[in-house]
Coordinates of all heavy atoms in Angstrom, one line a residue:
M1 N -1.5 62.0 -100.3 CA -2.3 62.1 -99.1 C -3.7 61.5 -99.2 O -4.6 61.7 -98.3 CB -2.3 63.5 -98.5 CG -1.0 64.0 -98.0 SD -1.0 65.3 -96.8 CE -1.7 64.6 -95.3
V2 N -4.0 60.8 -100.3 CA -5.3 60.1 -100.4 C -5.3 59.0 -99.4 O -6.4 58.7 -98.8 CB -5.4 59.5 -101.8 CG1 -6.5 58.4 -101.9 CG2 -5.7 60.6 -102.8
N3 N -4.2 58.4 -99.0 CA -4.1 57.4 -98.0 C -4.7 57.9 -96.7 O -5.5 57.2 -96.0 CB -2.7 56.9 -97.8 CG -2.6 55.7 -96.9 OD1 -3.3 54.7 -97.1 ND2 -1.8 55.7 -95.9
K4 N -4.4 59.1 -96.4 CA -4.9 59.7 -95.1 C -6.4 59.9 -95.2 O -7.2 59.8 -94.2 CB -4.2 61.0 -94.8 CG -4.2 61.4 -93.3 CD -3.7 60.3 -92.4 CE -2.4 59.7 -92.8 NZ -1.9 58.6 -91.9
G5 N -6.9 60.3 -96.4 CA -8.3 60.5 -96.6 C -9.0 59.2 -96.5 O -10.1 59.1 -95.9
L6 N -8.5 58.1 -97.0 CA -9.1 56.8 -96.8 C -9.1 56.4 -95.3 O -10.1 55.8 -94.8 CB -8.3 55.7 -97.6 CG -8.3 55.8 -99.1 CD1 -7.4 54.9 -99.7 CD2 -9.8 55.6 -99.6
E7 N -8.1 56.8 -94.6 CA -8.0 56.5 -93.2 C -9.0 57.2 -92.4 O -9.5 56.8 -91.4 CB -6.6 56.7 -92.6 CG -5.6 55.7 -93.1 CD -4.2 56.0 -92.7 OE1 -4.0 57.0 -91.9 OE2 -3.2 55.3 -93.1
V8 N -9.3 58.5 -92.8 CA -10.3 59.3 -92.1 C -11.7 58.5 -92.2 O -12.4 58.4 -91.2 CB -10.4 60.7 -92.8 CG1 -11.7 61.4 -92.3 CG2 -9.2 61.5 -92.4
M9 N -12.0 58.1 -93.4 CA -13.3 57.4 -93.6 C -13.3 56.0 -92.9 O -14.3 55.7 -92.3 CB -13.5 57.1 -95.1 CG -13.8 58.4 -95.9 SD -14.3 58.1 -97.6 CE -12.8 58.5 -98.5
E10 N -12.2 55.4 -92.8 CA -12.1 54.1 -92.1 C -12.3 54.3 -90.6 O -13.0 53.6 -89.9 CB -10.7 53.4 -92.4 CG -10.6 52.0 -91.8 CD -9.3 51.4 -92.1 OE1 -8.4 52.1 -92.7 OE2 -9.1 50.2 -91.8
A11 N -11.7 55.4 -90.1 CA -11.8 55.7 -88.7 C -13.2 56.0 -88.3 O -13.7 55.7 -87.2 CB -10.9 56.9 -88.3
K12 N -13.9 56.7 -89.2 CA -15.4 57.0 -88.9 C -16.2 55.7 -88.6 O -17.0 55.7 -87.6 CB -15.9 57.7 -90.1 CG -17.5 57.9 -90.1 CD -17.9 58.6 -91.4 CE -19.4 58.8 -91.3 NZ -20.2 57.6 -91.3
W13 N -15.9 54.7 -89.4 CA -16.7 53.4 -89.2 C -16.1 52.6 -88.0 O -16.9 52.0 -87.2 CB -16.7 52.6 -90.4 CG -17.5 53.3 -91.5 CD1 -17.1 53.9 -92.7 CD2 -18.9 53.5 -91.5 NE1 -18.1 54.4 -93.4 CE2 -19.3 54.2 -92.7 CE3 -19.9 53.1 -90.6 CZ2 -20.6 54.5 -93.0 CZ3 -21.3 53.5 -90.9 CH2 -21.5 54.2 -92.1
L14 N -14.8 52.5 -87.9 CA -14.2 51.7 -86.9 C -14.5 52.1 -85.5 O -14.8 51.3 -84.6 CB -12.7 51.7 -87.1 CG -12.0 50.6 -87.9 CD1 -10.5 50.9 -88.0 CD2 -12.2 49.2 -87.2
F15 N -14.5 53.4 -85.3 CA -14.7 54.0 -84.0 C -16.0 54.7 -83.8 O -16.2 55.3 -82.7 CB -13.5 54.9 -83.7 CG -12.2 54.2 -83.9 CD1 -11.3 54.6 -84.9 CD2 -11.8 53.1 -83.1 CE1 -10.1 54.0 -85.1 CE2 -10.6 52.5 -83.3 CZ -9.8 52.9 -84.3
D16 N -16.9 54.7 -84.8 CA -18.2 55.3 -84.7 C -18.2 56.7 -84.2 O -18.8 57.1 -83.2 CB -19.0 54.4 -83.7 CG -20.5 54.8 -83.7 OD1 -21.0 55.3 -84.8 OD2 -21.2 54.5 -82.8
V17 N -17.4 57.5 -84.9 CA -17.3 59.0 -84.6 C -17.7 59.8 -85.8 O -17.6 59.4 -87.0 CB -15.9 59.4 -84.2 CG1 -15.5 58.7 -82.9 CG2 -14.9 59.0 -85.2
D18 N -18.2 61.0 -85.6 CA -18.6 61.9 -86.6 C -17.3 62.5 -87.3 O -16.3 62.6 -86.7 CB -19.4 63.1 -86.1 CG -20.7 62.6 -85.4 OD1 -21.2 61.6 -85.8 OD2 -21.1 63.3 -84.5
L19 N -17.4 62.8 -88.6 CA -16.3 63.3 -89.3 C -15.8 64.6 -88.7 O -14.6 64.9 -88.7 CB -16.7 63.7 -90.8 CG -16.8 62.5 -91.7 CD1 -17.4 63.0 -93.0 CD2 -15.4 61.9 -92.0
E20 N -16.7 65.4 -88.1 CA -16.3 66.7 -87.5 C -15.3 66.4 -86.3 O -14.6 67.4 -85.8 CB -17.5 67.4 -87.0 CG -18.4 68.0 -88.1 CD -19.2 66.9 -88.8 OE1 -19.4 65.8 -88.2 OE2 -19.5 67.1 -90.0
R21 N -15.3 65.2 -85.8 CA -14.4 64.9 -84.6 C -13.2 64.1 -85.1 O -12.5 63.5 -84.2 CB -15.2 64.1 -83.6 CG -16.3 65.0 -82.9 CD -16.7 64.3 -81.6 NE -17.5 63.1 -81.9 CZ -17.6 62.1 -81.0 NH1 -17.0 62.1 -79.9 NH2 -18.3 61.0 -81.3
I22 N -12.8 64.1 -86.3 CA -11.6 63.5 -86.8 C -10.7 64.6 -87.4 O -11.1 65.3 -88.4 CB -11.9 62.4 -87.9 CG1 -12.8 61.4 -87.3 CG2 -10.6 61.8 -88.4 CD1 -13.3 60.3 -88.3
E23 N -9.5 64.8 -86.9 CA -8.6 65.8 -87.3 C -7.3 65.2 -87.8 O -6.8 64.3 -87.2 CB -8.3 66.8 -86.2 CG -7.4 67.9 -86.5 CD -7.2 68.8 -85.3 OE1 -8.1 68.9 -84.4 OE2 -6.1 69.4 -85.3
V24 N -6.8 65.6 -89.0 CA -5.5 65.1 -89.5 C -4.4 66.1 -89.1 O -4.6 67.3 -89.2 CB -5.6 65.0 -91.0 CG1 -4.2 64.6 -91.6 CG2 -6.6 63.9 -91.4
V25 N -3.4 65.6 -88.5 CA -2.2 66.3 -88.1 C -1.0 65.8 -88.7 O -0.7 64.6 -88.7 CB -2.0 66.3 -86.5 CG1 -0.8 67.1 -86.1 CG2 -3.3 66.8 -85.9

């Protein structure tokens, strides 16, 4: 599930959102 962790960080930059607004399901 490291891949999903990398995707969380990528999403933060791609979509300019705070980490608190990224949820993994």
Side-chain angles (χ1 to χ4, degrees):
M1 291 199 74
V2 164
N3 189 50
K4 204 54 51 180
L6 294 170
E7 288 175 5
V8 167
M9 289 188 258
E10 190 178 3
K12 173 184 181 294
W13 292 111
L14 265 176
F15 306 113
D16 191 24
V17 294
D18 299 329
L19 281 173
E20 292 71 23
R21 292 196 291 154
I22 303 174
E23 180 181 332
V24 174
V25 180

